[in-house]
Amino acid sequence: MNMLTILIPVALGLGALGLGAFLWSLSSGQYEDLDGAANRILLDDSPKDNK
Amino acid sequence: MSCCAGPIVADVSKTQALDARQITLIEDLRSNARTLPDGKVNYLLSTPAIHCGNCIATIERKLSPLPGVESVRANLSLKRVSLTLEDSAASPADAVERLIALGYEPQSISAEESGRMDPELKQLLQALAVSGFAAANVMLLSISVWNGAEGATKELFHFVSALIAIPSVAFGGLPFFRSAIGALRRRRVNMDVPISLGVTLATAMSMYESFIGGGHAYFDAAVSLLFFLLIGRTLDHMMRAKARAAAESLLRMAAKGGFVVQPDGDTLYLPLASLEPGMRIRVAAGERFPVDGTVIEGASDIDRSIVTGESAPVHLGMSDSVEAGTLNLTGPVDMLATRRAEQSFIAEVTSMMAAAENGRSTYVRIADRLARVYAPFVHIAAATTFLGWLLWTHGDVHQALTVAVAVLIITCPCALGLAVPVAQVISAGRLFQAGILMKDGSALERLATITDVAFDKTGTLTSGTPAISITTINDPVEQGIAKTLAQRSIHPASRALATYLSAVTALPVTDLHEVPGHGVEAIYKGKSVRLGRHDWVAEIANSDASHLESGPSFAIAGKPLRSMSLKETLREGAESTVATLNRRGIRTRLLSGDAPEPVRAIAEKLGIAAYFSQLKPGEKLESLRADAAAGHRTLMVGDGLNDAPALAAAHVSMAPSSAADVGRTAADMVFTRDSLQSIVFAHDVALATERVVRQNFALAIVYNIFAVPLAITGQLNPLIAAIAMSTSSIIVVANSLRLYRLKPKEKAARATVPVKTTALRASPAT
């Protein structure tokens, strides 16, 4: 029984952490250009450096 | 790598056309720009040409060094460029020009779609994430309870479940609660009413049970129900958003303004709303006329197909009147505006369309029809159970209430809520693969019930571009010259000739130029050569013995005149489509604005039973209205502006992607493939979808037949509820997935079947 008082909050906390991460990534626009992100890794520099 | 390089336009008339577009585009961009908190201004441009990683790099590198540009970010998925400028004084004109030069012609995005991400989808995804989290955790706790957790442990688990479930039901249930309240306000019942009621009551009762420390808690049922339903709703939303976006990206730019000739001879670009009657407006070749008016200078051929549906261009000279939206083909023309934009021909058709849409017989979706029967049944069953238990237990309110809520939970239409959206989402995905974009799920339901099909002719049954059927240009030298001349013009007949002569080597000529309203002229080995209107070409020919009527003529000075005749080419699959529809017992009909003779020829060739020619847009609309009044459910297939009111009024409508903007907007479905077989396939999918939806309903009802008696007799426990709900949902989804394997029936197999078409019944040409 004592274990439960530790384990349940830990389990819920980890789940909530995942949920929070998803909601954050959603609101910070990480799902807006899925194809572009895959291509960007192949490009040499960021355009800023060429300026 | 030059995969993205586009041609740079150098032609004078086209440059002018481009300028007009740029000016309107920049105006649009400015009106939709967002000012950021730090004073920078953000513009969103749609650039359909972006298609590879290299495009992103090119755009970002070439645009970011421009003066005033703070940052550029290209989005490959949405095919958009987000451009941030340092302050409101900086103009996006340079960037737009650079984009066009790079071959990515930008288009503006209307204010409502310029948001970063569809807010509704974002909310659904958030709700989905929250309810998914809740469903998983509550289910874990519930499993321990079912496994025999007792006493304090059980209470603790119920308490923790409540803590998770209450906020997530409140948040995740919002889309359903809103829709249910909306329906109740309009004094209707939809599926969301029993869903909302079931979820809310299940949560409330479980809370009560947990706090008094006994009985069953249905938190897991409530949250997993929400989770399943949100999956269906999110899929549905994503599918429709995708189809809508694809349909919108097809929209071509219509005239949004015109070049007004000032008294001093300069031209000034004014937006559509500022064009007044009496203004002198210059329209370059390749542009659309912005308003109605009369020609006061110049001559040209114009494409009036959006008005009449007729593909042959009309010659236009002094004091002829032109309608807004028609396309100027061959030469620049000055016109005197006679009406304001909002009174123009296009505006008239648009208002006719709005009226037609309002008058459309109000179609009730199959799920809502079912909800009207189902919801009262559920509520009456729960109320009867409550009263029955109250009498049986001699006034034990708590016991009676518990059982009544259990009935509500078990009948809460989880499978029913999924039955329609899942089937339609899968069908829409299947149609999308086949190049058919559906704007609305109910279009499939309506398509499944059709009794009549009305076709437009030009651009729908025929491809809209003419082809050469026969020509007297036989000499290889003449063919070579004719090809060179034909390639110069955008006149449909010239294009047809160029296509016809595609195997011939073009011969070089000098002094090649287009004579507006007449044709194309050039010098070949010191001799004048002409391709164009018959009387103009005949001036230089020495004879015109073998003159064929419908096409342009061609001659080398001093040589005999050559001519050709044009025919309309049938769209691919037109014959088999009409034959299939006839065999299915669907009445076919041809509604055309064209002359009686070509209409009759096409109708006879395809085996269409009834045809009407020379119809005006209003008359097509009347024909569709008469159908609705007679109880016929008609599918309208059309493409032109003149079809738009009829498309809006029809029971269900389809348009090819080559259709006029208004036509595509008015239609329920847009097909992007050339073949008309898309209509047959869409009908197949619609019928299959309806069948699957009915099967799904049947499955859901069977499940209720078993589960409801358990609930009414008080035998239900949370474990049974959870198993029953998930199983029925999974079965419904699995059954719907079968739709994805639907294949278009083989064309070849169809063609070999001898088809006896119905006898022709010529209707009076009105």
Side-chain angles (χ1 to χ4, degrees):
Chain A
M1 186 62 197
N2 279 339
M3 286 307 285
L4 286 179
T5 51
I6 302 167
L7 283 178
I8 291 177
V10 167
L12 289 179
L14 285 175
L17 204 68
L19 177 66
F22 175 74
L23 292 179
W24 167 77
S25 65
L26 187 67
S27 60
S28 68
Q30 298 196 21
Y31 298 96
E32 281 170 21
D33 189 10
L34 296 172
D35 305 319
N39 276 284
R40 270 175 206 281
I41 199 165
L42 301 173
L43 305 177
D44 292 339
D45 324 281
S46 82
K48 284 271 172 196
D49 300 337
N50 289 357
K51 205 168 180 176
Chain B
M1 232 162 62
S2 63
C3 71
C4 312
I8 296 167
V9 183
D11 187 46
V12 179
S13 63
K14 279 196 182 158
T15 312
Q16 198 188 354
L18 219 56
D19 284 344
R21 283 186 175 187
Q22 269 185 43
I23 295 165
T24 31
L25 175 66
I26 290 163
E27 286 299 314
D28 274 1
L29 286 177
R30 278 190 190 282
S31 59
N32 288 328
R34 249 172 5 128
T35 308
L36 303 178
D38 52 0
K40 295 179 176 118
V41 189
N42 179 260
Y43 297 87
L44 263 183
L45 299 94
S46 162
T47 43
I50 296 185
H51 66 277
C52 62
N54 208 35
C55 301
I56 303 180
T58 317
I59 290 177
E60 291 182 357
R61 277 190 200 144
K62 300 282 183 192
L63 257 56
S64 52
L66 291 175
V69 173
E70 171 70 24
S71 72
V72 189
R73 182 119 184 139
N75 185 325
L76 182 61
S77 304
L78 298 174
K79 301 193 189 304
R80 281 180 189 174
V81 174
S82 162
L83 178 72
T84 310
L85 299 183
E86 275 157 10
D87 50 49
S88 54
S91 162
D94 285 348
V96 168
E97 212 166 294
R98 184 68 68 92
L99 270 177
I100 294 173
L102 289 169
Y104 304 102
E105 191 166 324
Q107 292 169 5
S108 65
I109 304 171
S110 65
E112 61 265 27
E113 42 170 350
S114 63
R116 301 264 124 194
M117 191 175 182
D118 185 357
E120 205 179 324
L121 177 62
K122 201 165 184 170
Q123 208 210 341
L124 278 172
L125 281 176
Q126 282 168 346
L128 188 65
V130 169
S131 62
F133 164 79
N137 285 292
V138 173
M139 194 55 85
L140 274 179
L141 294 169
S142 297
I143 288 172
S144 344
V145 174
W146 300 334
N147 273 324
E150 284 297 337
T153 317
K154 185 174 171 181
E155 263 172 55
L156 173 72
F157 282 1
H158 278 174
F159 178 70
V160 176
S161 300
L163 220 58
I164 302 169
I166 293 163
S168 39
V169 165
F171 181 69
L174 270 181
F176 302 98
F177 301 155
R178 276 202 203 113
S179 152
I181 291 170
L184 287 177
R185 274 213 188 117
R186 277 175 284 127
R187 296 171 185 283
R188 293 226 190 97
V189 185
N190 62 11
M191 258 327 166
D192 290 336
V193 176
I195 290 173
S196 305
L197 205 62
V199 170
T200 322
L201 279 178
T203 316
M205 188 194 77
S206 308
M207 252 163 74
Y208 176 72
E209 291 284 327
S210 313
F211 283 115
I212 64 162
H216 301 314
Y218 290 97
F219 292 119
D220 58 297
V223 288
S224 54
L225 177 71
L226 268 185
F227 182 53
F228 282 134
L229 289 171
L230 278 168
I231 291 177
R233 200 143 299 199
T234 311
L235 281 178
D236 186 49
H237 184 84
M238 280 164 83
M239 172 272 292
R240 273 185 295 152
K242 199 173 175 184
R244 235 188 349 254
E248 271 164 11
S249 74
L250 293 168
L251 291 188
R252 271 169 298 155
M253 292 182 62
K256 283 179 180 162
F259 284 97
V260 176
V261 184
Q262 304 289 94
D264 59 6
D266 281 351
T267 55
L268 174 72
Y269 184 83
L270 286 181
L272 207 53
S274 321
L275 297 177
E276 298 282 348
M279 282 183 172
R280 185 188 172 111
I281 299 165
R282 185 160 295 166
V283 183
E287 282 282 273
R288 288 187 186 275
F289 288 92
V291 289
D292 294 354
T294 19
V295 176
I296 48 175
E297 198 182 315
S300 178
D301 292 299
I302 62 164
D303 178 354
R304 292 182 74 226
S305 60
I306 68 163
V307 182
T308 59
E310 216 171 323
S311 57
V314 179
H315 181 66
L316 193 71
M318 283 295 285
S319 68
D320 282 337
S321 61
V322 287
E323 290 94 349
T326 53
L327 181 66
N328 184 9
L329 287 176
T330 46
V333 161
D334 278 11
M335 67 180 276
L336 195 69
T338 51
R339 288 203 277 184
R340 295 177 54 86
E342 63 263 25
Q343 299 160 346
S344 72
F345 173 74
I346 291 194
E348 247 170 57
V349 173
T350 315
S351 66
M352 214 188 280
M353 233 171 75
E357 250 162 17
N358 286 335
R360 193 178 218 171
S361 58
T362 42
Y363 178 80
V364 185
R365 295 189 61 160
I366 200 164
D368 292 338
R369 262 182 286 164
L370 196 78
R372 281 186 188 170
V373 186
Y374 190 75
F377 162 76
V378 168
H379 299 152
I380 289 168
T384 319
T385 311
F386 176 73
L387 289 176
W389 274 85
L390 207 59
L391 291 175
W392 180 256
T393 56
H394 304 292
D396 186 346
V397 179
H398 176 242
Q399 176 71 14
L401 200 62
T402 313
V403 178
V405 171
V407 171
L408 273 181
I409 293 171
I410 203 74
T411 51
C412 190
C414 187
L416 285 183
L418 283 172
V420 180
V422 171
Q424 285 182 350
V425 164
I426 291 166
S427 299
R430 185 68 197 87
L431 286 176
F432 192 82
Q433 276 188 338
I436 303 164
L437 314 175
M438 188 171 82
K439 286 193 202 140
D440 180 7
S442 80
L444 266 183
E445 294 175 18
R446 285 181 272 136
L447 185 59
T449 63
I450 55 167
T451 57
D452 286 66
V453 180
F455 289 102
D456 168 50
K457 184 177 75 73
T458 314
T460 306
L461 285 177
T462 67
S463 66
T465 49
I468 304 287
S469 61
I470 182 165
T471 172
T472 54
I473 310 176
N474 297 321
D475 180 62
V477 176
E478 285 187 344
Q479 284 185 343
I481 301 168
K483 186 179 178 185
T484 314
L485 295 186
Q487 280 169 340
R488 174 66 174 78
S489 173
I490 60 164
H491 194 289
S494 293
R495 288 194 173 167
L497 185 60
T499 314
Y500 182 77
L501 296 173
S502 55
V504 177
T505 325
L507 292 174
V509 295
T510 54
D511 194 26
L512 181 63
H513 63 278
E514 194 157 3
V515 183
H518 291 294
V520 189
E521 189 173 26
I523 305 292
Y524 177 74
K525 290 191 177 163
K527 278 183 185 167
S528 171
V529 286
R530 283 179 177 180
L531 172 72
R533 300 176 63 77
H534 171 248
D535 43 1
W536 178 66
V537 175
E539 288 169 13
I540 62 163
N542 70 353
S543 74
D544 63 339
S546 60
H547 177 50
L548 295 167
E549 264 309 317
S550 58
S553 301
F554 169 81
I556 302 174
K559 297 259 179 76
L561 182 123
R562 307 292 184 204
S563 58
M564 60 209 81
S565 67
L566 294 173
K567 63 167 183 207
E568 280 184 300
T569 46
L570 281 178
R571 199 180 263 273
E572 190 193 328
E575 283 174 69
S576 58
T577 301
V578 173
T580 311
L581 291 174
N582 280 336
R583 204 167 47 234
R584 287 184 186 177
I586 294 167
R587 286 182 292 269
T588 50
R589 179 162 44 130
L590 188 54
L591 302 177
S592 178
D594 211 345
E597 187 43 42
V599 177
R600 190 186 60 80
I602 296 275
E604 270 177 5
K605 181 155 191 208
L606 295 177
I608 294 176
Y611 61 88
F612 299 89
S613 54
Q614 288 174 321
L615 295 186
K616 293 197 187 73
E619 291 167 338
K620 290 195 180 192
L621 175 60
E622 275 316 306
S623 174
L624 267 295
R625 283 204 175 133
D627 273 1
H632 298 171
R633 293 177 297 275
T634 310
L635 163 68
M636 172 77 201
V637 190
D639 74 319
L641 183 60
N642 58 338
D643 299 314
L647 287 170
H651 186 63
V652 55
S653 51
M654 287 181 85
S657 60
S658 57
D661 296 357
V662 195
R664 277 201 304 263
T665 319
D668 294 310
M669 295 187 192
V670 174
F671 56 95
T672 56
R673 303 254 166 101
D674 268 345
S675 171
L676 271 186
Q677 281 287 341
S678 293
I679 297 172
V680 174
F681 183 59
H683 190 231
D684 284 341
V685 170
L687 291 176
T689 309
E690 198 189 55
R691 206 160 50 233
V692 164
V693 165
R694 284 177 194 281
Q695 287 166 358
N696 285 349
F697 281 152
L699 287 169
I701 286 166
V702 166
Y703 140 84
N704 272 323
I705 288 173
F706 285 106
V708 171
L710 275 183
I712 291 179
T713 51
Q715 299 297 307
L716 190 71
N717 65 43
L719 179 60
I720 296 177
I723 292 174
M725 258 181 204
S726 337
T727 326
S728 68
S729 302
I730 290 168
I731 291 174
V732 162
V733 172
N735 186 43
S736 307
L737 277 171
R738 293 187 306 129
L739 280 170
Y740 209 70
R741 294 199 311 232
L742 221 63
K743 289 206 173 59
K745 306 222 165 62
E746 281 308 310
K747 248 182 290 169
R750 298 222 155 214
T752 53
V753 180
V755 176
K756 181 137 175 54
T757 56
T758 48
L760 258 169
R761 174 172 53 83
S763 303
T766 42

